[in-house]
Each structure stands twice: as structure tokens, then as C-alpha cells.
Amino acid sequence: MFENRRGPEGLPVREVSTILSGSIYLEELNGQELKLRSGEAIRFEGSRGEIDVLDFKDDQIVVQFHGSVKGMTAGSSEVGRSLMPTWLEWLKARRGLYLLWGTAIYLYGLVVGAMRWLRAPQ
């Protein structure tokens, strides 16, 4: 939605979010829920899926979308925060045991390397 407000220098136009509340469930992170704030804009670089529910309740539109998105950000276009999970978050949610063992092996390698470096003949 766009809002026109008459100012001293003309008619500035700004984009306004009409979201009152909402939640995003990240199924790739075992259903982790992200809450949307009132008036918070949400943008997608791309999306593919279907709208499951489109309902009108008390002068509001209720929408339920199920699908996959690319490049999800929230907030204004100038200062947006990414809502896309990082690879580390995905590994933690899906492959926690692999992440634990990988970290343990990495730390072991660092300790052994440091010990060998400190004991190097001079």
C-alpha cells in the first residue's frame, strides 16, 4: 500500500505495510516460528507455492501461504533484516550430531597443531 501525505515541499509518497500481525514458520529449521511486528514490511526475491487460506475476518484479510521463498527480508527497503536462515542454523537444526562431531574434530586439530607448533625444535 502507498501513502500520500502532503508536506511543505509537495506530495511525498511512501510505502506502508498493512500487516497487523503474523508468523512465519521455517520448516527447514524444524518449524521455528518468527513473529512479524505490526506494520513490518516483508519482501521476497522469489517465491513458489500456493495460498492455502484467503479469508476476510473483521475488516482484515487472513492469508496462509505454503511454499518456498528466496531472499526473505523484513523491515523497510533501506534497512531490512534478513529472515533467511544461515547454513549454520540449518546444520544445527537438521544435522546437530554432524555439527557437534565436526566442531570437535576441528577443535582437536587446532589443539594438536598448536601443541606441535609450540614444541617445534629450535
Side-chain angles (χ1 to χ4, degrees):
M1 176 174 151
F2 293 97
E3 179 181 61
N4 289 327
R5 288 198 177 183
R6 186 173 297 275
E9 286 107 31
L11 285 174
V13 177
R14 70 181 188 129
E15 196 172 333
V16 179
S17 172
T18 56
I19 293 177
L20 297 177
S21 68
S23 296
I24 296 173
Y25 295 94
L26 302 172
E27 295 302 327
E28 291 292 324
L29 300 181
N30 298 325
Q32 178 184 338
E33 179 183 11
L34 296 175
K35 294 276 190 186
L36 295 175
R37 292 173 247 171
S38 180
E40 186 171 36
I42 185 166
R43 292 179 176 73
F44 306 108
E45 279 181 28
S47 64
R48 188 167 63 195
E50 57 190 32
I51 295 176
D52 294 333
V53 175
L54 182 60
D55 197 12
F56 300 96
K57 291 183 181 178
D58 303 325
D59 294 333
Q60 299 175 6
I61 300 173
V62 177
V63 178
Q64 250 183 10
F65 172 80
H66 186 264
S68 60
V69 297
K70 179 180 171 183
M72 181 171 45
T73 57
S76 67
S77 58
E78 298 87 26
V79 184
R81 63 183 169 101
S82 176
L83 299 177
M84 296 298 290
T86 63
W87 282 104
L88 187 58
E89 291 171 327
W90 182 84
L91 276 173
K92 181 181 166 193
R94 292 294 185 158
R95 308 277 190 246
L97 190 59
Y98 294 128
L99 185 61
L100 174 69
W101 281 107
T103 303
I105 292 170
Y106 176 76
L107 291 175
Y108 176 77
L110 280 177
V111 169
V112 169
M115 289 175 63
R116 284 186 182 172
W117 180 72
L118 290 174
R119 281 194 262 163
Q122 298 177 5

